[in-house]
Amino acid sequence: MTIGEGGYNDAAAGVAILRRFWLAAARLGAVAGDDRHAEVVASWLASLPAPAPGDVAGNPLADFELAFAIDGSWARVGAYGDPVAMIGPSAGWFSSLDSEPAEMERLVELGPAIDADLLATWIESHDDTFDAGWSMRGALDPATALGVVDDTSRRAVLVAYLAGFGDGALLSVGRSVARGAAVGRVAIESGSAASDEDVAGVVNLLSDLGAPSPSDEVLGAVLTFAGSNSIGVQLHTLVDGFTRVGVTIASPPLSLLAELARLGLGDLDRVAAVQGTLDGLEPDHLCCWTTPDGERVEVAYRLAAS
């Protein structure tokens, strides 16, 4: 049973929050408000598995991720759940989007090998276009899970970097399934505070990967305002480069958001407008992205599905 078949029980409140978030993002320009986007989001919601009435196994979904760029460049929603329950509906939804066949094959090939605790599908809107894909989260083995990265030399750099941290530093991996995209996604959290040493370690990793680093102003804001919050890296990789490279801060303080807004990377009114739809939910993390179009700041939230 899926949400579209009326099987969503205790998580109905979570879906309501997700819908309010998406509508707020549309009003602020991060999501196109046309019928096509609304239909894609509705089809995604309908593809999510849900418990049948009386099912003692409980809700197969674990949590939702909601994220948006604070300058209105994009917004994203995703749902993590039990891989066995997610894989069939996810494949059907991807097929309905006319996704890249090679990416579907990649999921079938990598999924069992990665053997993650949770599988997600997600949709991201950029103005009048959208992207979609999958992510895996859990106790990930870097040597296997980093198969989402096409370039083997970059893969080796990441495996060597992760060897310096304990289990769990590799938060998630995934891929886009959109035609022509071929983008691998990697999220790493060091578990260390955003000190001079740890920020320098992240900058050195990006240099070793041949990836751009954030500006000195952004790094200065992170060092000044992130405090003891954990620092990490997110990468959107191509065969021959990157579409986005980000430095993340877990549980970001408002002072950091305010400083990044002061630097011209967004505004707090937009953050307040979106966060007002989330029933007091605080950000899970913040990401300072470097993109081909300049620097962007994304705020992400995690919402329990039940």
Side-chain angles (χ1 to χ4, degrees):
M1 178 173 285
T2 64
I3 291 173
E5 294 169 330
Y8 210 95
N9 299 330
D10 295 339
V15 174
I17 290 174
L18 184 150
R19 291 183 185 277
R20 293 202 301 270
F21 166 84
W22 199 255
L23 288 172
R27 287 194 298 270
L28 294 168
V31 175
D34 57 36
D35 291 343
R36 186 172 69 101
H37 273 65
E39 289 170 1
V40 171
V41 174
S43 71
W44 172 72
L45 280 171
S47 75
L48 300 179
D55 187 351
V56 296
N59 189 356
L61 292 180
D63 54 55
F64 297 109
E65 183 185 68
L66 319 172
F68 71 102
I70 67 173
D71 70 342
S73 295
W74 66 76
R76 184 177 64 260
V77 289
Y80 279 92
D82 176 70
V84 174
M86 290 285 291
I87 189 64
S90 300
W93 181 63
F94 289 147
S95 296
S96 74
L97 297 179
D98 190 30
S99 54
E100 182 65 55
E103 290 302 329
M104 296 301 299
E105 294 170 7
R106 179 76 69 98
L107 174 56
V108 171
E109 174 188 339
L110 279 178
I114 294 175
D115 192 26
D117 297 330
L118 297 170
L119 170 66
T121 56
W122 51 264
I123 181 169
E124 184 173 283
S125 175
H126 313 255
D127 299 321
D128 61 347
T129 63
F130 62 86
D131 192 7
W134 57 270
S135 296
M136 292 184 179
R137 199 175 79 211
L140 304 177
D141 171 34
T144 303
L146 289 172
V148 300
V149 178
D150 290 309
D151 186 281
T152 55
S153 61
R154 290 195 180 98
R155 196 184 307 166
V157 169
L158 289 168
V159 170
Y161 177 79
L162 285 162
F165 300 96
D167 293 341
L170 182 57
L171 294 182
S172 67
V173 297
R175 298 279 298 182
S176 168
V177 301
R179 284 189 177 271
V183 176
R185 296 183 171 218
V186 176
I188 296 169
E189 184 175 310
S190 68
S192 302
S195 63
D196 287 4
E197 180 181 359
D198 289 294
V199 170
V202 166
V203 171
N204 289 338
L205 169 65
L206 296 178
S207 176
D208 290 344
L209 291 167
S213 293
S215 64
D216 290 343
E217 291 80 6
V218 167
L219 290 176
V222 168
L223 282 168
T224 302
F225 296 99
S228 60
N229 301 59
S230 182
I231 190 170
V233 178
Q234 291 195 40
L235 306 167
H236 292 185
T237 69
L238 297 165
V239 173
D240 56 354
F242 301 88
T243 60
R244 291 184 204 164
V245 176
V247 173
T248 62
I249 296 296
S251 304
L254 181 60
S255 57
L256 175 57
L257 266 171
E259 178 64 10
L260 293 169
R262 189 191 68 79
L263 293 174
L265 298 177
D267 66 82
L268 292 183
D269 288 343
R270 177 176 276 111
V271 176
V274 174
Q275 192 156 319
T277 69
L278 302 179
D279 289 356
L281 193 67
E282 295 295 325
D284 178 74
H285 65 272
L286 173 152
C287 189
C288 300
W289 289 106
T290 303
T291 81
D293 299 319
E295 292 186 299
R296 301 287 186 271
V297 175
E298 176 186 280
V299 181
Y301 304 81
R302 187 166 293 170
L303 174 67
S306 60

